[in-house]
Amino acid sequence: GNSVTQMEGPVTLSEEAFLTINCTYTATGYPSLFWYVQYPGEGLQLLLKATKADDKGSNKGFEATYRKETTSFHLEKGSVQVSDSAVYFCALSKETSGSRLTFGEGTQLTVNP
Amino acid sequence: DAGVIQSPRHEVTEMGQEVTLRCKPISGHDYLFWYRQTMMRGLELLIYFNNNVPIDDSGMPEDRFSAKMPNASFSTLKIQPSEPRDSAVYFCASNLGYNTEAFFGQGTRLTVV
């Protein structure tokens, strides 16, 4: 079946540090890949997505590139801010599975001033 | 649109009682999802609907759980009888279909004592 694996958390960084959160997936064919973010006390919201190999999704300084050869979709940001503190979820969907999203475990990020 | 609206935001109930969670999806969205979030198990898809019809309820943990979508603008998730292990945050989400952004409600935090 489809699955998503994220790097273990939590991750704690200082402001302006470089961020990488690893995400790998298992799926046949060509899934679409997503990063969602959850701020404290809120629901998840879409951060970025990529729908085919070598696509790069980007938003709010975050980037992730769809790597088919390594089945990965790592999230990066060059300089994090305190306001980036949240839980980040990697997810995939496949057309053959309808509209459902399969989520990874989530990675808690804390950015200290 | 006000987004996906869930009620109540918080629910505290005694073991054995019936609990009903409510969700109003975004108007025009064809898909509605119910997720459960816990520290131990992360985000789990319980059930999802397409055009008010349940498509996959394989994530519903037990017969104590049931979900309905009587019309395009309303869905309920019912737990009867509730147990302490049902304590979690329950999210409702909706989208237009495959590859489109899923919009999440703010969740219902359920505590069963």
Side-chain angles (χ1 to χ4, degrees):
Chain A
N2 302 327
S3 67
V4 176
T5 302
Q6 291 182 229
M7 68 184 289
E8 290 188 14
V11 175
T12 301
L13 296 173
S14 297
E15 206 164 23
E16 300 184 3
F18 184 86
L19 169 70
T20 299
I21 300 178
N22 291 339
C23 170
T24 57
Y25 67 89
T26 300
T28 57
Y30 297 90
S32 292
L33 302 174
F34 306 81
W35 277 100
Y36 279 79
V37 59
Q38 184 181 28
Y39 298 103
E42 298 184 11
L44 282 70
Q45 54 187 274
L46 179 66
L47 180 60
L48 54 84
K49 74 175 187 181
T51 58
K52 60 182 188 293
D54 299 325
D55 265 3
K56 178 186 285 188
S58 61
N59 186 25
K60 299 180 182 179
F62 290 89
E63 294 183 340
T65 301
Y66 187 161
R67 301 288 188 198
K68 180 70 175 174
E69 64 275 14
T70 54
T71 62
S72 65
F73 193 54
H74 304 321
L75 182 68
E76 297 181 336
K77 186 174 186 182
S79 176
V80 293
Q81 306 299 312
V82 173
S83 57
D84 294 326
S85 297
V87 181
Y88 292 81
F89 292 88
C90 187
L92 70 80
S93 70
K94 287 193 63 181
E95 191 168 11
T96 51
S97 299
S99 183
R100 61 184 299 165
L101 284 163
T102 299
F103 285 94
E105 307 89 344
T107 301
Q108 172 75 56
L109 169 67
T110 301
V111 180
N112 294 318
Chain B
D1 202 312
V4 176
I5 300 173
Q6 291 186 246
S7 64
R9 288 294 309 277
H10 302 275
E11 176 79 42
V12 180
T13 190
E14 291 185 346
M15 182 174 62
Q17 296 299 304
E18 178 180 295
V19 175
T20 299
L21 311 182
R22 296 172 176 79
C23 174
K24 181 181 187 307
I26 291 175
S27 177
H29 281 190
D30 294 327
Y31 288 83
L32 182 140
F33 307 84
W34 282 101
Y35 286 90
R36 178 172 69 176
Q37 185 177 37
T38 61
M39 290 294 292
M40 292 296 295
R41 300 172 68 92
L43 264 173
E44 303 173 276
L45 177 65
L46 301 178
I47 185 171
Y48 78 97
F49 296 82
N50 179 22
N51 292 324
N52 314 336
V53 175
I55 302 300
D56 185 352
D57 65 356
S58 59
M60 297 285 261
E62 299 170 35
D63 291 345
R64 299 184 295 107
F65 285 69
S66 63
K68 294 181 179 179
M69 192 165 185
N71 58 62
S73 59
F74 184 66
S75 177
T76 59
L77 178 67
K78 186 177 294 185
I79 308 172
Q80 165 63 21
S82 57
E83 296 182 3
R85 59 194 169 119
D86 301 331
S87 297
V89 180
Y90 291 81
F91 287 104
C92 177
S94 69
N95 71 8
L96 289 167
Y98 170 65
N99 249 350
T100 65
E101 179 178 357
F103 290 84
F104 283 73
Q106 291 192 293
T108 295
R109 181 175 294 277
L110 173 66
T111 303
V112 183
V113 298

mmCIF file of all heavy atoms in Angstrom, chain B residues 4 21 37 56 80 88 109:
data_model
loop_
_atom_site.group_PDB
_atom_site.id
_atom_site.type_symbol
_atom_site.label_atom_id
_atom_site.label_comp_id
_atom_site.label_asym_id
_atom_site.label_seq_id
_atom_site.Cartn_x
_atom_site.Cartn_y
_atom_site.Cartn_z
ATOM 1 N N VAL B 4 -14.006 25.178 6.374
ATOM 2 C CA VAL B 4 -14.644 24.014 6.964
ATOM 3 C C VAL B 4 -14.959 24.330 8.427
ATOM 4 O O VAL B 4 -14.077 24.766 9.167
ATOM 5 C CB VAL B 4 -13.741 22.775 6.860
ATOM 6 C CG1 VAL B 4 -14.374 21.592 7.570
ATOM 7 C CG2 VAL B 4 -13.460 22.447 5.399
ATOM 8 N N LEU B 21 -20.087 14.544 16.629
ATOM 9 C CA LEU B 21 -19.265 15.628 16.103
ATOM 10 C C LEU B 21 -19.860 16.063 14.768
ATOM 11 O O LEU B 21 -20.317 15.222 13.979
ATOM 12 C CB LEU B 21 -17.816 15.152 15.912
ATOM 13 C CG LEU B 21 -17.186 14.435 17.101
ATOM 14 C CD1 LEU B 21 -15.748 14.070 16.779
ATOM 15 C CD2 LEU B 21 -17.272 15.252 18.361
ATOM 16 N N GLN B 37 -6.587 12.481 15.210
ATOM 17 C CA GLN B 37 -5.178 12.758 15.505
ATOM 18 C C GLN B 37 -4.889 12.473 16.973
ATOM 19 O O GLN B 37 -5.522 13.024 17.869
ATOM 20 C CB GLN B 37 -4.822 14.211 15.181
ATOM 21 C CG GLN B 37 -3.338 14.525 15.350
ATOM 22 C CD GLN B 37 -3.002 15.952 14.963
ATOM 23 O OE1 GLN B 37 -3.777 16.879 15.211
ATOM 24 N NE2 GLN B 37 -1.863 16.140 14.325
ATOM 25 N N ASP B 56 -14.930 4.927 1.556
ATOM 26 C CA ASP B 56 -14.006 4.043 2.258
ATOM 27 C C ASP B 56 -14.131 4.293 3.759
ATOM 28 O O ASP B 56 -13.786 5.376 4.222
ATOM 29 C CB ASP B 56 -12.572 4.303 1.785
ATOM 30 C CG ASP B 56 -11.562 3.340 2.394
ATOM 31 O OD1 ASP B 56 -11.924 2.552 3.293
ATOM 32 O OD2 ASP B 56 -10.390 3.374 1.979
ATOM 33 N N GLN B 80 -20.714 5.812 19.908
ATOM 34 C CA GLN B 80 -21.682 5.315 20.873
ATOM 35 C C GLN B 80 -21.444 3.836 21.151
ATOM 36 O O GLN B 80 -21.599 3.019 20.231
ATOM 37 C CB GLN B 80 -23.102 5.535 20.350
ATOM 38 C CG GLN B 80 -24.210 4.773 21.065
ATOM 39 C CD GLN B 80 -24.377 5.165 22.525
ATOM 40 O OE1 GLN B 80 -23.963 6.237 22.931
ATOM 41 N NE2 GLN B 80 -24.973 4.293 23.306
ATOM 42 N N ALA B 88 -9.141 12.233 21.578
ATOM 43 C CA ALA B 88 -8.296 12.625 20.445
ATOM 44 C C ALA B 88 -8.822 13.948 19.902
ATOM 45 O O ALA B 88 -9.831 14.478 20.372
ATOM 46 C CB ALA B 88 -8.356 11.561 19.347
ATOM 47 N N ARG B 109 -11.689 18.724 19.899
ATOM 48 C CA ARG B 109 -10.903 18.001 20.891
ATOM 49 C C ARG B 109 -11.850 17.259 21.813
ATOM 50 O O ARG B 109 -12.604 17.875 22.561
ATOM 51 C CB ARG B 109 -10.004 18.952 21.692
ATOM 52 C CG ARG B 109 -9.145 18.223 22.735
ATOM 53 C CD ARG B 109 -8.183 19.169 23.416
ATOM 54 N NE ARG B 109 -7.183 19.697 22.488
ATOM 55 C CZ ARG B 109 -6.067 19.072 22.129
ATOM 56 N NH1 ARG B 109 -5.798 17.872 22.639
ATOM 57 N NH2 ARG B 109 -5.224 19.636 21.297
#
